[in-house]
Every structure is written in C-alpha cells, then in structure tokens.
Amino acid sequence: MAKFSTKVLIIGSGPAGYTAGIYAARSGLEPILVSGTDTGGQLTLSENVENFPGFPHAVSGSELMENMRRQAELFGVVLINDKIVEVDFSRRPFECSSEKHNAFYADSIIIATGASAKWLGLPDEEKYRGFGISVCATCDGFFYRGKNVAVIGGGNSAVEEALYLTTFARSVTLIHRRDNLRADKYLQEKLFNTPQIRVIYDRTVEEFIGRNAPPTLEALKLKNVKTDKTEILPTDGVFIAIGHKPNTEIFQNRLELDNRGYIKTAPDSTRTSVEGVFAAGDVRNADFRQAVIAAGSGAMAAMEAGRWLCR
Ligand code: NDP
C-alpha cells in the first residue's frame, strides 16, 4: 500500500482524462492520473476514428489513445495503473482508495470515468458472453467470418456495428424494438444501401437459445411487440448495442447524479455538486458521446480545477 498526494487527481484514462492531464501538467499542477481497468477507455474498441480533428486519413482508436497517453506522460502526468474503488469527498484533502489498496489525497479531483455498454439483462446472457454474445464488433467481429450475426438496437452504435460486421459476416440482421431507427440519417442511408444487412422492426429479444458445454449461442427467441407473436431466429452471434451507462457507482451519495446516473455539472462548466470536484467526458454527458467532446471537457475541467486551486 502506498500513499500519494497531489493537487489534482484525475480518475480515468479516456480522452477526457488524458486531456485533463495534459492541461493540468502544462499548468504546473503535477497531476496524478489513475487509469482504471480499461486503460484508454471505450475508444480503444474503435478500429477507425474518422472524425477526430487532425487525422484526415482516420486513426485507430488504440493508436489515438496511445498517443494521448504518451503526450500526457511527456508533460509529466504521473500515470498509475490502478482503479479507484472508494471516494471520500466530505473532508479536504479529498481521499480516494484503490483496488490495489493505495490511498490518494487530492486538493481537487477530475472524474473522467466514462460510460460502459449496457446489457439486456436476460437469463443466460452471462453464460453466452464471449460465446456468441458481445458488446463490441471491433473486438469480436473477426470471429464471425462467413457467419450469420444479429445486432440489437436502433441507434448510431447499432448501425455502425452492423455496417462494420459486414466486413466479416455473411449476413447481418439488425433487430430494433420500434418501427423506426434512432440513428443519424447518413448512417441509415449507408445501412439501407448495404445488401448484406436486413432490418427487422418491432422485435425484442425474449431468450437466448443455445448449447451448454461448451456454451454456444444458436438462436434468439424474438417477440413481435405489436402482435405478441414469438419466433426463433437462428444466429451464430449477437452484438448488443443498446446504449451505455455511466461509470458512477462509487459516486452515488457522494455527488449529485441525474436520473440516468450521469454526474450533474453546472451549466457551461465541469463543476459538480462538491466544490473542488470536476467531471469531464461521457460520465457527465449522455447526449454527445464523442471523443472530441470528451477531450474538450477534459481541458475545461483542468482549467477550472487550476482556477479553483488558485482561488
Ligand atoms: P442510443 O441511446 O442512441 O441508442 C440505443 C438504442 O438501443 C436505441 O435505438 C434504443 O431503442 C435501443 N435500446 C435501448 N434499450 C434497449 C433494450 N433494453 N432492448 C432493445 N433495444 C434497446 O445509444 P448509442 O450507443 O447508439 O449512442 C449513444 C450516443 O452516442 C448517441 O448520442 C449517439 O449519437 C452517439 N454516437 C455517435 C456515433 C457517431 O456519431 N458516429 C457513433 C456511436 C454513438 P429506442 O430507439 O426505442 O430508444
């Protein structure tokens, strides 16, 4: 067990966390950044990032995050590979403890813990995770070369996953619970112009069907929400893309959260309900889950933390 003290503790290593680190370090605040379990965050799951400014020919999510990590390190951010599991914001310096039993004392904190993919919560979902059920086409699409797969959801993520999967799969069935998609029009156009993909509407997944040993998903039981009729759709794999939930479990009853669990921040600011604690990136923003926005809010958080420390 080690004890660390810092002016700024940054929790999370996605675009928000690293950018906060770069800005805080360049302001002489000597930040410590605790990376969390998934170093680099959600973007490491993206094969191609085409909309991060400065990369006209796209960049892989892992490369982009590795560059951010190196840039943070070059400016002197102390990077610690550990996960904060408990926070105490009731006294100053704030105190956080970690999975590896380290203690962190901080004059200010920037929370950039991001969000994680949601699951359907059906029986057997756990059993088939990694054996036919996935939440990441970039990670697992490769295993479905020449196979028939399904994608659940009707938002941008679901459509992007479906399009990406056509690189490998023989056929992709997008299953949506309503009769129109939520995804942006340009993505819908791409989707409807891809012959390998068919879309079925008004269906929910009722059950995952497959074998036990080894666990192998073989089919989905679907329900038509308009007629209540059920049907079996054979499939080799299913990708669940139904949105995300913020990683805010450890902040419950410590900070004000909105009704979806995202950290509330003051208008046009990263200030949270506790003075000296700031939040940046997807953990405070359900509507604009974009790397560039997360990075921008990370910069804001570092600047606001700096001003707060000099108050
Ligand atoms: P969204 O919340 O936008 O979409 C989730 C989809 O899953 C919706 O169609 C929703 O249905 C469906 N859904 C939710 N819960 C269930 C359930 N229990 N069973 C079945 N279906 C369910 O999430 P995304 O991850 O797609 O996107 C989140 C944000 O990130 C958005 O702001 C999006 O624009 C952005 N994003 C942008 C991208 C880009 O610009 N390239 C890429 C990916 C994400 P319903 O429509 O009925 O609510």
Side-chain angles (χ1 to χ4, degrees):
M1 170 170 166
K3 287 186 179 176
F4 298 88
S5 287
T6 179
K7 292 190 194 92
V8 185
L9 178 71
I10 299 164
I11 310 176
S13 58
Y18 283 141
T19 309
I22 292 164
Y23 273 70
R26 291 188 79 253
S27 307
L29 297 173
E30 300 172 340
I32 291 179
L33 185 153
V34 181
S35 66
T37 316
D38 302 320
T39 305
Q42 299 170 77
L43 211 62
T44 54
L45 305 178
S46 289
E47 195 187 30
N48 263 319
V49 181
E50 294 179 332
N51 52 8
F52 200 88
F55 296 89
H57 305 297
V59 57
S60 84
S62 307
E63 190 183 341
L64 183 59
M65 294 320 300
E66 177 57 16
N67 284 346
M68 288 192 202
R69 188 193 65 73
R70 281 178 36 224
Q71 194 172 356
E73 216 166 27
L74 276 173
F75 283 115
V77 179
V78 175
L79 303 173
I80 295 182
N81 195 0
D82 198 352
K83 185 180 178 184
I84 299 296
V85 291
E86 206 172 330
V87 295
D88 183 354
F89 297 155
S90 65
R91 55 204 157 117
R92 302 219 183 106
F94 302 122
E95 187 176 343
C96 301
S97 44
S98 76
E99 207 167 63
K100 294 181 181 167
H101 306 293
N102 293 314
F104 296 86
Y105 299 92
D107 298 329
S108 69
I109 293 191
I110 296 174
I111 299 167
T113 48
S116 304
K118 279 190 202 163
W119 296 81
L120 286 171
L122 290 171
D124 287 345
E125 193 167 42
E126 188 94 39
K127 180 169 92 185
Y128 295 119
R129 270 191 203 184
F131 298 96
I133 301 181
S134 169
V135 288
C136 176
T138 313
C139 319
D140 301 326
F142 181 79
F143 302 116
Y144 295 91
R145 197 171 285 276
K147 304 267 173 81
N148 302 308
V149 297
V151 176
I152 314 296
N156 281 346
S157 300
V159 173
E160 283 196 346
E161 297 273 86
L163 289 166
Y164 177 75
L165 284 163
T166 59
T167 324
F168 310 99
R170 187 189 323 154
S171 77
V172 179
T173 306
L174 184 84
I175 300 163
H176 183 37
R177 65 181 177 183
R178 288 187 299 121
D179 60 6
N180 64 0
L181 301 173
R182 179 186 292 278
D184 292 343
K185 290 288 171 251
Y186 83 95
L187 279 173
Q188 291 197 33
E189 255 169 47
K190 272 194 185 176
L191 181 86
F192 296 129
N193 286 326
T194 307
Q196 249 163 301
I197 303 177
R198 80 174 164 137
V199 183
I200 54 178
Y201 296 102
D202 298 319
R203 306 293 203 287
T204 53
V205 180
E206 291 284 284
E207 200 182 320
F208 296 112
I209 300 166
R211 279 181 281 128
N212 278 334
T216 314
L217 181 76
E218 291 177 323
L220 303 174
K221 183 174 172 187
L222 302 178
K223 185 172 97 173
N224 184 321
V225 295
K226 289 195 169 149
T227 63
D228 272 351
K229 275 194 181 151
T230 57
E231 67 203 287
I232 304 296
L233 176 81
T235 190
D236 298 306
V238 61
F239 291 79
I240 297 167
I242 59 168
H244 291 78
K245 64 173 175 47
N247 296 321
T248 50
E249 288 83 359
I250 59 170
F251 307 115
Q252 270 166 26
N253 305 318
R254 307 281 192 278
L255 291 176
E256 273 182 34
L257 307 179
D258 70 13
N259 56 5
R260 292 183 289 178
Y262 289 82
I263 296 176
K264 277 192 187 173
T265 49
D268 296 326
S269 168
T270 61
R271 290 195 317 273
T272 69
S273 55
V274 172
E275 260 194 58
V277 178
F278 304 85
D282 289 6
V283 75
R284 65 158 204 154
N285 186 345
D287 299 324
F288 301 100
R289 291 184 45 254
Q290 297 297 306
V292 67
I293 290 170
S297 71
M300 250 171 96
M303 291 169 78
E304 291 194 281
R307 283 176 202 157
W308 187 78
L309 290 166
C310 296
R311 70 200 183 284

